């Protein structure tokens, strides 16, 4: 099944987070690990999608120190000035979107999108992401950095037995 995300004007949304909550499959993880690095005074990647319960490391590959923070309701973070990799990763235990910044370098920003399902992807340049889904009614949750809201939008997805493509439009 291919999901294509479009913006309010009909344009494909590249680099959007798409998660499919398959009926009967939910969950947190206690073993997943991910990385939100800092390289060339930028976060890499700009958007990280993880399942609820994932431990995220914040390695600093720059020669300067960074101070990573987030005031987001899903996770408050305050990693004081550091170089290298902090000893403890940060566990993202609530779904939603966490905006990250650096107190030293104002232009540094990124997002961690946390979803309650192991079925997620980032859309390609055409705003598409493909999933292996069983037929039936599921819920798609999606988010794009251009949205005004820091919450994922939920849309019903009906998957026919033959699969196919479903075009979904996100509000601003």
């Amino acid at each position: 099944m291919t999901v294509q995300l479009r913006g309010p004007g009909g344009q494909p949304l590249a680099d959007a987070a798409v998660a499919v909550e398959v009926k009967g499959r939910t969950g947190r993880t206690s073993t997943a690990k991910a990385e939100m690095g800092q390289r060339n005074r930028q976060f890499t990647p700009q958007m990280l999608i993880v399942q609820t319960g994932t431990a995220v490391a914040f390695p600093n590959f720059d020669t300067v120190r960074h101070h990573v923070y987030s005031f987001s309701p899903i996770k408050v973070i305050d990693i004081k000035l550091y170089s290298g990799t902090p000893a403890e990763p940060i566990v993202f235990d609530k779904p939603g979107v966490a905006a990250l910044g650096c107190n030293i370098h104002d232009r540094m920003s990124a997002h961690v999108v946390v979803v309650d399902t192991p079925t997620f992807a980032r859309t390609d340049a055409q705003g598409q992401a493909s999933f292996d889904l069983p037929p039936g009614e599921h819920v798609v949750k999606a988010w794009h950095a251009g949205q005004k809201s820091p919450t994922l939008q939920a849309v019903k997805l009906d998957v026919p037995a033959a699969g196919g493509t479903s075009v979904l439009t996100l509000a601003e």
Side-chain angles (χ1 to χ4, degrees):
M1 181 75 196
T2 300
V3 172
Q4 183 182 46
L5 289 183
R6 294 188 175 266
Q11 77 282 12
L13 293 177
D15 295 320
V18 183
V20 181
E21 293 182 352
V22 176
K23 202 174 266 186
R25 287 189 216 160
T26 59
R28 303 170 56 89
T29 179
S30 59
T31 59
K33 296 181 185 336
E35 189 174 279
M36 174 62 82
Q38 296 107 65
R39 197 180 301 273
N40 299 321
R41 295 183 184 164
Q42 292 295 322
F43 286 106
T44 58
Q46 290 288 292
M47 179 185 67
L48 177 66
I49 311 166
V50 299
Q51 185 178 357
T52 308
T54 299
V56 178
F58 287 84
N60 178 358
F61 299 104
D62 285 335
T63 56
V64 297
R65 297 191 305 164
H66 294 295
H67 180 161
V68 176
Y69 70 91
S70 175
F71 298 117
S72 299
I74 69 159
K75 183 57 85 174
V76 174
I77 299 170
D78 188 24
I79 307 173
K80 304 271 187 222
L81 277 172
Y82 73 99
S83 54
T85 302
E88 292 296 318
I90 305 289
V91 175
F92 285 81
D93 51 1
K94 293 180 191 160
V97 180
L100 303 176
C102 175
N103 271 338
I104 308 304
H105 306 99
D106 290 341
R107 67 177 175 26
M108 284 179 66
S109 66
H111 295 90
V112 177
V113 180
V114 186
V115 297
D116 270 339
T117 175
T119 309
F120 58 86
R122 175 190 304 261
T123 58
D124 63 16
Q126 290 76 44
Q128 297 182 344
S130 294
F131 301 95
D132 183 14
L133 300 172
E137 187 178 287
H138 309 295
V139 175
V140 169
K141 290 194 176 175
W143 182 83
H144 186 264
Q147 286 179 220
K148 292 181 177 133
S149 171
T151 58
L152 285 85
Q153 294 182 38
V155 182
K156 280 187 183 174
L157 175 68
D158 287 314
V159 177
T165 298
S166 183
V167 178
L168 305 174
T169 302
L170 293 184
E172 286 188 279

